[in-house]
Amino acid sequence: MAFQNGLSGLVVKVASRCNINCTYCYMYNSGDESYRLLPKVMTENTVNWLIEKTIQHCKKYKIKEFEFILHGGEPLLAGKEFFERFAKKARQQLGAIGVSVRIGVQTNGIMIDAGWCKLLNTLSINIGISIDGPAWWHDKYRMDHQLNGTHAKTIAGLRAAQKEQCKIGVLSVMDATSNPIEMYDYFKGLNIKDLDFLWPDHHHEKLPELYLRKVSSPTYTPFGDWWITLFDYWFNDSHNKPRIRFLNQVILMILGVDAGFESLGGEENRYLIIETDGEIEASDYLKACGNGFTKEGINITTHELSDALNAPLMKMHRQSHRMLADTCRQCSIRDVCGGGHIAHRYGNGRGFSNSSVYCFDLMKLLTHIQNRLLDRLSAETIRQARLTRMSYADALDSINV
Ligand code: SF4
């Protein structure tokens, strides 16, 4: 089957190892050992194939904008020269066929110093830094190989990037046992303007700790409750509030703009992963489904990017918001939820044909946000936008719970 739209971008694993060892890491600590067989850093030859195949893909699908997210492991381990060569080649060669290239890097921040900041600024590379909260929280999860906390070094990297006026976003893995207000105030205090919280990587065969202790149910929704507290606090914050990507996207979708992405909505997923050996894969989060789970034998050196779009797992990932379990199909909020992230649906002997392991959390959260938004709109706007108020109980009713 040919896809009408090409890719929006690639997550490029430029380094397969990391200088730290976070407890929850899907690369190294979720049962997937495939990283051990990968080159530590992507070779020049693989980069050349990658750019050549991206050029062909952009020509084929008439793409005018393309994004590379440099990722790892810890991507800065690839070194400054790698970054310089990559950015220059990508921009020159794709620019020559009229494609505008955006580049970002997602790092743990530890290696960031003034030298890196100057280089990333010169190359117009945006920086995403992973920070899980204040030191006493961050250091529980984000430790080095000697089990030392990494917070102080990460914050030093953040401060260096702020001093050099780099374009920075912060990614934080949420922990539903934390206090979301404390987290929000902490990041705001760090002067973070662009923030996001990631749902932890779990599915029906690898349940979140909280659901091992007590089964998820319509009345036990710790993840949804965490987000609701955060949303209410953020929504009512009238002073210099940061953008929280997940909440922004939910709001847009409720208002009828399909700003969907990997986690929610109805849009196709238009990003793929390239490993350091050139292997093309679906979402990294799917590594948590088993050892070698994401390997489909498709490599940038031997295949076209469009071949990857039809490989079974990548195809399923791409169409994950359309390939829904029966429960999700009948759910009244499926247009916004989209069944959640595909990796969170895995298990029960049914592959991905399940609702999300966070189903009740998502349902409670999304109906809550919708109703808080409607509270702020006039009756006329609600009528014109064809919005309908829906309670959590209504949504539960739609899936016969
Ligand atoms: S709320 Fe649950 S049933 Fe509804 S679409 Fe999302 S995961 Fe599926």
Side-chain angles (χ1 to χ4, degrees):
M1 174 193 169
F3 284 96
Q4 213 181 349
N5 301 305
L7 295 165
S8 302
L10 292 170
V11 177
V12 185
K13 303 287 190 155
V14 300
S16 64
R17 305 295 199 272
C18 192
N19 51 351
I20 66 170
N21 188 24
C22 302
T23 53
Y24 50 60
C25 181
Y26 52 68
M27 285 279 290
Y28 311 115
N29 294 323
S30 71
D32 186 289
E33 297 280 319
S34 58
Y35 74 91
R36 292 182 191 278
L37 303 172
L38 293 172
K40 288 188 177 160
V41 174
M42 184 175 275
T43 64
E44 194 68 20
N45 184 47
T46 307
V47 171
N48 291 340
W49 278 113
L50 168 66
I51 293 175
E52 177 55 32
K53 295 297 172 72
T54 306
I55 290 171
Q56 290 172 16
H57 188 77
C58 289
K59 281 184 180 167
K60 179 172 177 177
Y61 287 96
K62 301 187 175 26
I63 294 166
K64 291 291 165 206
E65 286 180 11
F66 201 82
E67 182 174 35
F68 293 104
I69 303 170
L70 307 183
H71 212 280
E74 170 48 44
L76 300 194
L77 289 173
K80 293 191 179 99
E81 281 178 18
F82 179 98
F83 272 67
E84 204 159 1
R85 279 201 309 272
F86 185 97
K88 284 184 178 159
K89 264 189 193 170
R91 290 220 169 88
Q92 268 167 13
Q93 294 184 28
L94 281 152
I97 60 159
V99 177
S100 142
V101 172
R102 273 195 326 278
I103 307 180
V105 60
Q106 184 62 39
T107 168
N108 59 40
I110 289 173
M111 292 172 66
I112 295 180
D113 58 12
W116 267 109
C117 293
K118 286 190 171 77
L119 178 69
L120 297 174
N121 268 343
T122 307
L123 299 173
S124 299
I125 297 181
N126 299 338
I127 310 175
I129 303 182
S130 302
I131 308 174
D132 280 357
W136 51 270
W137 201 266
H138 175 107
D139 287 345
K140 270 174 47 172
Y141 304 106
R142 302 190 65 84
M143 290 179 272
D144 65 17
H145 293 278
Q146 287 74 43
L147 305 181
N148 300 309
T150 59
H151 185 266
K153 290 180 180 164
T154 299
I155 295 300
L158 171 73
R159 293 298 187 210
Q162 286 176 322
K163 191 169 171 204
E164 296 294 332
Q165 299 185 337
C166 296
K167 204 158 175 229
I168 309 160
V170 163
L171 264 189
S172 184
V173 176
M174 70 170 288
D175 180 334
T177 64
S178 70
N179 180 338
I181 293 177
E182 204 172 321
M183 290 294 160
Y184 180 79
D185 285 341
Y186 175 74
F187 288 116
K188 208 173 153 184
L190 286 176
N191 200 22
I192 303 301
K193 307 283 186 230
D194 202 344
L195 178 61
D196 203 12
F197 293 96
L198 300 176
W199 292 65
D201 295 324
H202 291 281
H203 50 69
H204 296 279
E205 286 175 15
K206 182 175 164 269
L207 291 173
E209 174 90 26
L210 286 171
Y211 289 158
L212 287 171
R213 285 189 234 150
K214 185 174 170 185
V215 177
S216 163
S217 75
T219 52
Y220 181 59
T221 52
F223 297 90
D225 296 343
W226 188 95
W227 273 104
I228 286 171
T229 306
L230 178 70
F231 172 80
D232 287 345
Y233 192 64
W234 171 80
F235 197 51
N236 292 322
D237 182 0
S238 54
H239 181 65
N240 212 13
K241 70 172 136 197
R243 183 180 90 109
I244 299 180
R245 185 177 60 170
F246 182 83
L247 294 178
N248 268 27
Q249 277 161 320
V250 171
I251 289 172
L252 285 171
M253 283 188 289
I254 288 171
L255 295 177
V257 179
D258 196 344
F261 57 122
E262 211 179 358
S263 297
L264 294 177
E267 284 280 294
E268 288 185 335
N269 289 317
R270 295 209 187 110
Y271 283 78
L272 288 174
I273 309 282
I274 311 290
E275 289 285 6
T276 53
D277 63 349
E279 185 99 6
I280 311 174
E281 299 184 5
S283 171
D284 256 1
Y285 297 105
L286 292 166
K287 288 184 191 298
C289 298
N291 191 17
F293 195 88
T294 54
K295 302 289 175 198
E296 296 193 274
I298 297 197
N299 196 291
I300 199 82
T301 59
T302 48
H303 294 76
E304 305 306 315
L305 283 166
S306 47
D307 294 335
L309 300 180
N310 281 312
L313 188 60
M314 286 186 263
K315 185 174 174 183
M316 191 181 300
H317 170 250
R318 184 174 169 90
Q319 298 187 324
S320 66
H321 297 309
R322 294 172 192 173
M323 297 169 83
L324 297 176
D326 291 345
T327 312
C328 296
R329 281 186 197 288
Q330 69 191 52
C331 176
S332 54
I333 63 157
R334 70 178 178 279
D335 289 348
V336 176
C337 178
H341 196 293
I342 186 172
H344 300 158
R345 303 179 203 166
Y346 184 70
N348 293 337
R350 291 197 293 265
F352 297 98
S353 294
N354 298 294
S355 55
S356 170
V357 72
Y358 296 117
C359 176
F360 297 128
D361 300 273
L362 286 164
M363 194 178 267
K364 189 171 178 185
L365 171 66
L366 299 176
T367 50
H368 177 86
I369 294 178
Q370 193 221 35
N371 287 311
R372 289 295 76 73
L373 284 178
L374 295 194
D375 290 344
R376 297 268 178 107
L377 299 177
S378 70
E380 181 59 11
T381 306
I382 293 171
R383 193 187 59 74
Q384 282 178 353
R386 296 196 190 135
L387 297 169
T388 324
R389 202 174 274 276
M390 180 174 308
S391 69
Y392 179 39
D394 293 335
L396 286 168
D397 203 36
S398 73
I399 60 164
N400 302 318
V401 174

PDB file of all heavy atoms in Angstrom, residues 324-325 327-335 337-340 345 354-360 362-364 366 395 398-399, ligand 1:
ATOM      1  N   LEU A 324      -7.457   0.566  15.697  1.00  0.00           N
ATOM      2  CA  LEU A 324      -7.829   0.577  17.115  1.00  0.00           C
ATOM      3  C   LEU A 324      -8.481  -0.726  17.550  1.00  0.00           C
ATOM      4  O   LEU A 324      -9.111  -1.421  16.744  1.00  0.00           O
ATOM      5  CB  LEU A 324      -8.812   1.731  17.375  1.00  0.00           C
ATOM      6  CG  LEU A 324      -8.272   3.140  17.132  1.00  0.00           C
ATOM      7  CD1 LEU A 324      -9.387   4.166  17.337  1.00  0.00           C
ATOM      8  CD2 LEU A 324      -7.104   3.444  18.059  1.00  0.00           C
ATOM      9  N   ALA A 325      -8.342  -1.024  18.828  1.00  0.00           N
ATOM     10  CA  ALA A 325      -9.045  -2.171  19.414  1.00  0.00           C
ATOM     11  C   ALA A 325     -10.543  -1.875  19.421  1.00  0.00           C
ATOM     12  O   ALA A 325     -10.956  -0.712  19.348  1.00  0.00           O
ATOM     13  CB  ALA A 325      -8.553  -2.373  20.848  1.00  0.00           C
ATOM     14  N   THR A 327     -12.708  -1.871  21.758  1.00  0.00           N
ATOM     15  CA  THR A 327     -13.134  -0.976  22.852  1.00  0.00           C
ATOM     16  C   THR A 327     -12.920   0.476  22.440  1.00  0.00           C
ATOM     17  O   THR A 327     -13.786   1.333  22.659  1.00  0.00           O
ATOM     18  CB  THR A 327     -12.295  -1.254  24.120  1.00  0.00           C
ATOM     19  OG1 THR A 327     -12.275  -2.637  24.351  1.00  0.00           O
ATOM     20  CG2 THR A 327     -12.822  -0.517  25.317  1.00  0.00           C
ATOM     21  N   CYS A 328     -11.767   0.757  21.847  1.00  0.00           N
ATOM     22  CA  CYS A 328     -11.465   2.143  21.460  1.00  0.00           C
ATOM     23  C   CYS A 328     -12.384   2.608  20.333  1.00  0.00           C
ATOM     24  O   CYS A 328     -12.774   3.771  20.273  1.00  0.00           O
ATOM     25  CB  CYS A 328     -10.006   2.265  21.038  1.00  0.00           C
ATOM     26  SG  CYS A 328      -8.856   1.916  22.377  1.00  0.00           S
ATOM     27  N   ARG A 329     -12.710   1.681  19.425  1.00  0.00           N
ATOM     28  CA  ARG A 329     -13.591   2.079  18.305  1.00  0.00           C
ATOM     29  C   ARG A 329     -14.937   2.595  18.798  1.00  0.00           C
ATOM     30  O   ARG A 329     -15.525   3.477  18.216  1.00  0.00           O
ATOM     31  CB  ARG A 329     -13.871   0.868  17.397  1.00  0.00           C
ATOM     32  CG  ARG A 329     -12.744   0.561  16.471  1.00  0.00           C
ATOM     33  CD  ARG A 329     -13.115  -0.543  15.488  1.00  0.00           C
ATOM     34  NE  ARG A 329     -11.909  -1.066  14.920  1.00  0.00           N
ATOM     35  CZ  ARG A 329     -11.164  -0.409  14.052  1.00  0.00           C
ATOM     36  NH1 ARG A 329     -11.548   0.762  13.625  1.00  0.00           N
ATOM     37  NH2 ARG A 329     -10.037  -0.914  13.618  1.00  0.00           N
ATOM     38  N   GLN A 330     -15.426   2.010  19.899  1.00  0.00           N
ATOM     39  CA  GLN A 330     -16.752   2.435  20.376  1.00  0.00           C
ATOM     40  C   GLN A 330     -16.659   3.587  21.394  1.00  0.00           C
ATOM     41  O   GLN A 330     -17.677   4.116  21.829  1.00  0.00           O
ATOM     42  CB  GLN A 330     -17.507   1.247  20.971  1.00  0.00           C
ATOM     43  CG  GLN A 330     -16.928   0.724  22.262  1.00  0.00           C
ATOM     44  CD  GLN A 330     -17.550  -0.603  22.678  1.00  0.00           C
ATOM     45  OE1 GLN A 330     -17.601  -1.544  21.891  1.00  0.00           O
ATOM     46  NE2 GLN A 330     -18.022  -0.672  23.909  1.00  0.00           N
ATOM     47  N   CYS A 331     -15.443   3.986  21.706  1.00  0.00           N
ATOM     48  CA  CYS A 331     -15.256   5.005  22.754  1.00  0.00           C
ATOM     49  C   CYS A 331     -15.618   6.394  22.236  1.00  0.00           C
ATOM     50  O   CYS A 331     -15.193   6.788  21.145  1.00  0.00           O
ATOM     51  CB  CYS A 331     -13.800   4.971  23.225  1.00  0.00           C
ATOM     52  SG  CYS A 331     -13.426   6.250  24.421  1.00  0.00           S
ATOM     53  N   SER A 332     -16.336   7.131  23.026  1.00  0.00           N
ATOM     54  CA  SER A 332     -16.814   8.444  22.569  1.00  0.00           C
ATOM     55  C   SER A 332     -15.705   9.496  22.510  1.00  0.00           C
ATOM     56  O   SER A 332     -15.903  10.566  21.945  1.00  0.00           O
ATOM     57  CB  SER A 332     -17.943   8.919  23.482  1.00  0.00           C
ATOM     58  OG  SER A 332     -17.493   8.894  24.808  1.00  0.00           O
ATOM     59  N   ILE A 333     -14.532   9.240  23.088  1.00  0.00           N
ATOM     60  CA  ILE A 333     -13.464  10.243  23.003  1.00  0.00           C
ATOM     61  C   ILE A 333     -12.306   9.772  22.121  1.00  0.00           C
ATOM     62  O   ILE A 333     -11.203  10.288  22.191  1.00  0.00           O
ATOM     63  CB  ILE A 333     -12.946  10.650  24.402  1.00  0.00           C
ATOM     64  CG1 ILE A 333     -12.319   9.458  25.124  1.00  0.00           C
ATOM     65  CG2 ILE A 333     -14.037  11.270  25.256  1.00  0.00           C
ATOM     66  CD1 ILE A 333     -11.340   9.912  26.202  1.00  0.00           C
ATOM     67  N   ARG A 334     -12.577   8.778  21.260  1.00  0.00           N
ATOM     68  CA  ARG A 334     -11.475   8.194  20.477  1.00  0.00           C
ATOM     69  C   ARG A 334     -10.826   9.200  19.522  1.00  0.00           C
ATOM     70  O   ARG A 334      -9.645   9.086  19.212  1.00  0.00           O
ATOM     71  CB  ARG A 334     -11.933   6.962  19.699  1.00  0.00           C
ATOM     72  CG  ARG A 334     -12.864   7.284  18.578  1.00  0.00           C
ATOM     73  CD  ARG A 334     -13.283   6.074  17.756  1.00  0.00           C
ATOM     74  NE  ARG A 334     -14.215   6.510  16.745  1.00  0.00           N
ATOM     75  CZ  ARG A 334     -15.502   6.710  16.955  1.00  0.00           C
ATOM     76  NH1 ARG A 334     -16.005   6.472  18.141  1.00  0.00           N
ATOM     77  NH2 ARG A 334     -16.293   7.161  15.996  1.00  0.00           N
ATOM     78  N   ASP A 335     -11.577  10.213  19.069  1.00  0.00           N
ATOM     79  CA  ASP A 335     -10.971  11.167  18.123  1.00  0.00           C
ATOM     80  C   ASP A 335      -9.842  11.956  18.777  1.00  0.00           C
ATOM     81  O   ASP A 335      -8.897  12.364  18.115  1.00  0.00           O
ATOM     82  CB  ASP A 335     -12.020  12.159  17.589  1.00  0.00           C
ATOM     83  CG  ASP A 335     -12.977  11.461  16.653  1.00  0.00           C
ATOM     84  OD1 ASP A 335     -12.678  10.313  16.260  1.00  0.00           O
ATOM     85  OD2 ASP A 335     -14.017  12.059  16.323  1.00  0.00           O
ATOM     86  N   CYS A 337      -8.346  10.859  21.920  1.00  0.00           N
ATOM     87  CA  CYS A 337      -7.424   9.901  22.560  1.00  0.00           C
ATOM     88  C   CYS A 337      -6.654   9.075  21.535  1.00  0.00           C
ATOM     89  O   CYS A 337      -5.451   8.828  21.697  1.00  0.00           O
ATOM     90  CB  CYS A 337      -8.202   8.973  23.490  1.00  0.00           C
ATOM     91  SG  CYS A 337      -7.139   7.747  24.273  1.00  0.00           S
ATOM     92  N   GLY A 338      -7.352   8.651  20.474  1.00  0.00           N
ATOM     93  CA  GLY A 338      -6.702   7.824  19.448  1.00  0.00           C
ATOM     94  C   GLY A 338      -6.168   6.515  20.007  1.00  0.00           C
ATOM     95  O   GLY A 338      -5.253   5.920  19.438  1.00  0.00           O
ATOM     96  N   GLY A 339      -6.723   6.053  21.115  1.00  0.00           N
ATOM     97  CA  GLY A 339      -6.238   4.801  21.718  1.00  0.00           C
ATOM     98  C   GLY A 339      -4.925   4.964  22.469  1.00  0.00           C
ATOM     99  O   GLY A 339      -4.334   3.991  22.923  1.00  0.00           O
ATOM    100  N   GLY A 340      -4.469   6.217  22.566  1.00  0.00           N
ATOM    101  CA  GLY A 340      -3.201   6.466  23.275  1.00  0.00           C
ATOM    102  C   GLY A 340      -2.003   5.991  22.469  1.00  0.00           C
ATOM    103  O   GLY A 340      -2.117   5.648  21.289  1.00  0.00           O
ATOM    104  N   ARG A 345      -0.357  -0.127  24.539  1.00  0.00           N
ATOM    105  CA  ARG A 345      -1.490  -1.040  24.307  1.00  0.00           C
ATOM    106  C   ARG A 345      -1.067  -2.503  24.296  1.00  0.00           C
ATOM    107  O   ARG A 345      -1.904  -3.401  24.278  1.00  0.00           O
ATOM    108  CB  ARG A 345      -2.108  -0.766  22.922  1.00  0.00           C
ATOM    109  CG  ARG A 345      -2.572   0.618  22.716  1.00  0.00           C
ATOM    110  CD  ARG A 345      -3.131   0.740  21.304  1.00  0.00           C
ATOM    111  NE  ARG A 345      -3.115   2.112  20.850  1.00  0.00           N
ATOM    112  CZ  ARG A 345      -3.284   2.457  19.589  1.00  0.00           C
ATOM    113  NH1 ARG A 345      -3.483   1.544  18.669  1.00  0.00           N
ATOM    114  NH2 ARG A 345      -3.251   3.731  19.260  1.00  0.00           N
ATOM    115  N   ASN A 354      -5.555  -3.776  22.100  1.00  0.00           N
ATOM    116  CA  ASN A 354      -6.045  -3.446  23.448  1.00  0.00           C
ATOM    117  C   ASN A 354      -6.234  -1.942  23.533  1.00  0.00           C
ATOM    118  O   ASN A 354      -5.601  -1.200  22.780  1.00  0.00           O
ATOM    119  CB  ASN A 354      -4.985  -3.804  24.506  1.00  0.00           C
ATOM    120  CG  ASN A 354      -4.663  -5.271  24.538  1.00  0.00           C
ATOM    121  OD1 ASN A 354      -5.497  -6.091  24.883  1.00  0.00           O
ATOM    122  ND2 ASN A 354      -3.429  -5.611  24.157  1.00  0.00           N
ATOM    123  N   SER A 355      -7.035  -1.537  24.485  1.00  0.00           N
ATOM    124  CA  SER A 355      -7.007  -0.112  24.820  1.00  0.00           C
ATOM    125  C   SER A 355      -5.710   0.134  25.606  1.00  0.00           C
ATOM    126  O   SER A 355      -5.041  -0.815  26.018  1.00  0.00           O
ATOM    127  CB  SER A 355      -8.237   0.288  25.622  1.00  0.00           C
ATOM    128  OG  SER A 355      -8.349  -0.536  26.752  1.00  0.00           O
ATOM    129  N   SER A 356      -5.387   1.386  25.813  1.00  0.00           N
ATOM    130  CA  SER A 356      -4.148   1.736  26.501  1.00  0.00           C
ATOM    131  C   SER A 356      -4.143   1.221  27.947  1.00  0.00           C
ATOM    132  O   SER A 356      -5.194   1.153  28.598  1.00  0.00           O
ATOM    133  CB  SER A 356      -4.007   3.259  26.516  1.00  0.00           C
ATOM    134  OG  SER A 356      -2.953   3.639  27.359  1.00  0.00           O
ATOM    135  N   VAL A 357      -2.945   0.891  28.442  1.00  0.00           N
ATOM    136  CA  VAL A 357      -2.826   0.538  29.861  1.00  0.00           C
ATOM    137  C   VAL A 357      -3.233   1.743  30.727  1.00  0.00           C
ATOM    138  O   VAL A 357      -3.586   1.599  31.891  1.00  0.00           O
ATOM    139  CB  VAL A 357      -1.382   0.057  30.162  1.00  0.00           C
ATOM    140  CG1 VAL A 357      -0.390   1.210  30.144  1.00  0.00           C
ATOM    141  CG2 VAL A 357      -1.302  -0.710  31.461  1.00  0.00           C
ATOM    142  N   TYR A 358      -3.234   2.933  30.117  1.00  0.00           N
ATOM    143  CA  TYR A 358      -3.642   4.175  30.814  1.00  0.00           C
ATOM    144  C   TYR A 358      -5.069   4.605  30.420  1.00  0.00           C
ATOM    145  O   TYR A 358      -5.411   5.783  30.529  1.00  0.00           O
ATOM    146  CB  TYR A 358      -2.669   5.306  30.475  1.00  0.00           C
ATOM    147  CG  TYR A 358      -1.255   5.061  30.952  1.00  0.00           C
ATOM    148  CD1 TYR A 358      -0.199   4.940  30.035  1.00  0.00           C
ATOM    149  CD2 TYR A 358      -0.957   4.953  32.301  1.00  0.00           C
ATOM    150  CE1 TYR A 358       1.105   4.721  30.467  1.00  0.00           C
ATOM    151  CE2 TYR A 358       0.351   4.736  32.741  1.00  0.00           C
ATOM    152  CZ  TYR A 358       1.373   4.620  31.816  1.00  0.00           C
ATOM    153  OH  TYR A 358       2.668   4.410  32.257  1.00  0.00           O
ATOM    154  N   CYS A 359      -5.879   3.649  29.929  1.00  0.00           N
ATOM    155  CA  CYS A 359      -7.199   4.005  29.377  1.00  0.00           C
ATOM    156  C   CYS A 359      -8.035   4.883  30.324  1.00  0.00           C
ATOM    157  O   CYS A 359      -8.488   5.961  29.945  1.00  0.00           O
ATOM    158  CB  CYS A 359      -7.953   2.728  29.028  1.00  0.00           C
ATOM    159  SG  CYS A 359      -9.625   3.009  28.459  1.00  0.00           S
ATOM    160  N   PHE A 360      -8.252   4.440  31.547  1.00  0.00           N
ATOM    161  CA  PHE A 360      -9.120   5.213  32.447  1.00  0.00           C
ATOM    162  C   PHE A 360      -8.480   6.560  32.803  1.00  0.00           C
ATOM    163  O   PHE A 360      -9.175   7.569  32.951  1.00  0.00           O
ATOM    164  CB  PHE A 360      -9.435   4.422  33.720  1.00  0.00           C
ATOM    165  CG  PHE A 360     -10.211   3.159  33.459  1.00  0.00           C
ATOM    166  CD1 PHE A 360      -9.788   1.946  33.960  1.00  0.00           C
ATOM    167  CD2 PHE A 360     -11.374   3.201  32.698  1.00  0.00           C
ATOM    168  CE1 PHE A 360     -10.508   0.775  33.708  1.00  0.00           C
ATOM    169  CE2 PHE A 360     -12.099   2.037  32.434  1.00  0.00           C
ATOM    170  CZ  PHE A 360     -11.655   0.814  32.941  1.00  0.00           C
ATOM    171  N   LEU A 362      -6.526   8.311  30.822  1.00  0.00           N
ATOM    172  CA  LEU A 362      -6.701   9.190  29.656  1.00  0.00           C
ATOM    173  C   LEU A 362      -8.129   9.695  29.566  1.00  0.00           C
ATOM    174  O   LEU A 362      -8.382  10.878  29.330  1.00  0.00           O
ATOM    175  CB  LEU A 362      -6.343   8.423  28.374  1.00  0.00           C
ATOM    176  CG  LEU A 362      -4.854   8.193  28.137  1.00  0.00           C
ATOM    177  CD1 LEU A 362      -4.630   7.117  27.075  1.00  0.00           C
ATOM    178  CD2 LEU A 362      -4.173   9.496  27.717  1.00  0.00           C
ATOM    179  N   MET A 363      -9.052   8.783  29.795  1.00  0.00           N
ATOM    180  CA  MET A 363     -10.470   9.146  29.669  1.00  0.00           C
ATOM    181  C   MET A 363     -10.856  10.219  30.693  1.00  0.00           C
ATOM    182  O   MET A 363     -11.524  11.213  30.374  1.00  0.00           O
ATOM    183  CB  MET A 363     -11.297   7.881  29.881  1.00  0.00           C
ATOM    184  CG  MET A 363     -12.715   8.009  29.476  1.00  0.00           C
ATOM    185  SD  MET A 363     -13.533   6.426  29.717  1.00  0.00           S
ATOM    186  CE  MET A 363     -13.345   5.692  28.128  1.00  0.00           C
ATOM    187  N   LYS A 364     -10.404  10.030  31.921  1.00  0.00           N
ATOM    188  CA  LYS A 364     -10.747  11.004  32.979  1.00  0.00           C
ATOM    189  C   LYS A 364     -10.091  12.352  32.681  1.00  0.00           C
ATOM    190  O   LYS A 364     -10.712  13.419  32.793  1.00  0.00           O
ATOM    191  CB  LYS A 364     -10.274  10.469  34.328  1.00  0.00           C
ATOM    192  CG  LYS A 364     -10.760  11.277  35.510  1.00  0.00           C
ATOM    193  CD  LYS A 364     -10.430  10.540  36.791  1.00  0.00           C
ATOM    194  CE  LYS A 364     -10.846  11.328  38.018  1.00  0.00           C
ATOM    195  NZ  LYS A 364     -10.414  10.658  39.254  1.00  0.00           N
ATOM    196  N   LEU A 366      -8.946  13.583  29.702  1.00  0.00           N
ATOM    197  CA  LEU A 366      -9.402  14.268  28.484  1.00  0.00           C
ATOM    198  C   LEU A 366     -10.802  14.853  28.663  1.00  0.00           C
ATOM    199  O   LEU A 366     -11.094  15.952  28.192  1.00  0.00           O
ATOM    200  CB  LEU A 366      -9.345  13.318  27.283  1.00  0.00           C
ATOM    201  CG  LEU A 366      -7.932  12.779  26.957  1.00  0.00           C
ATOM    202  CD1 LEU A 366      -7.968  11.770  25.828  1.00  0.00           C
ATOM    203  CD2 LEU A 366      -6.962  13.908  26.631  1.00  0.00           C
ATOM    204  N   ALA A 395     -18.309   8.970  29.059  1.00  0.00           N
ATOM    205  CA  ALA A 395     -17.273   8.291  28.273  1.00  0.00           C
ATOM    206  C   ALA A 395     -17.144   6.828  28.707  1.00  0.00           C
ATOM    207  O   ALA A 395     -17.037   5.923  27.874  1.00  0.00           O
ATOM    208  CB  ALA A 395     -15.938   9.025  28.416  1.00  0.00           C
ATOM    209  N   SER A 398     -19.789   4.791  27.218  1.00  0.00           N
ATOM    210  CA  SER A 398     -19.635   4.464  25.787  1.00  0.00           C
ATOM    211  C   SER A 398     -18.846   3.179  25.576  1.00  0.00           C
ATOM    212  O   SER A 398     -18.940   2.547  24.536  1.00  0.00           O
ATOM    213  CB  SER A 398     -18.993   5.628  25.033  1.00  0.00           C
ATOM    214  OG  SER A 398     -17.608   5.732  25.342  1.00  0.00           O
ATOM    215  N   ILE A 399     -18.016   2.801  26.568  1.00  0.00           N
ATOM    216  CA  ILE A 399     -17.296   1.521  26.430  1.00  0.00           C
ATOM    217  C   ILE A 399     -17.868   0.463  27.400  1.00  0.00           C
ATOM    218  O   ILE A 399     -17.198  -0.515  27.742  1.00  0.00           O
ATOM    219  CB  ILE A 399     -15.770   1.690  26.618  1.00  0.00           C
ATOM    220  CG1 ILE A 399     -15.398   2.252  27.998  1.00  0.00           C
ATOM    221  CG2 ILE A 399     -15.165   2.542  25.521  1.00  0.00           C
ATOM    222  CD1 ILE A 399     -13.922   2.057  28.358  1.00  0.00           C
TER     223      ILE A 399
HETATM  224  S1  SF4 B   1      -9.997   6.390  26.438  1.00  0.00           S
HETATM  225 FE1  SF4 B   1      -9.512   4.198  26.453  1.00  0.00          FE
HETATM  226  S2  SF4 B   1     -11.142   3.236  25.201  1.00  0.00           S
HETATM  227 FE2  SF4 B   1     -11.148   5.452  24.749  1.00  0.00          FE
HETATM  228  S3  SF4 B   1      -9.853   5.648  22.933  1.00  0.00           S
HETATM  229 FE3  SF4 B   1      -8.553   6.024  24.758  1.00  0.00          FE
HETATM  230  S4  SF4 B   1      -7.639   4.054  25.262  1.00  0.00           S
HETATM  231 FE4  SF4 B   1      -9.371   3.649  23.866  1.00  0.00          FE
END
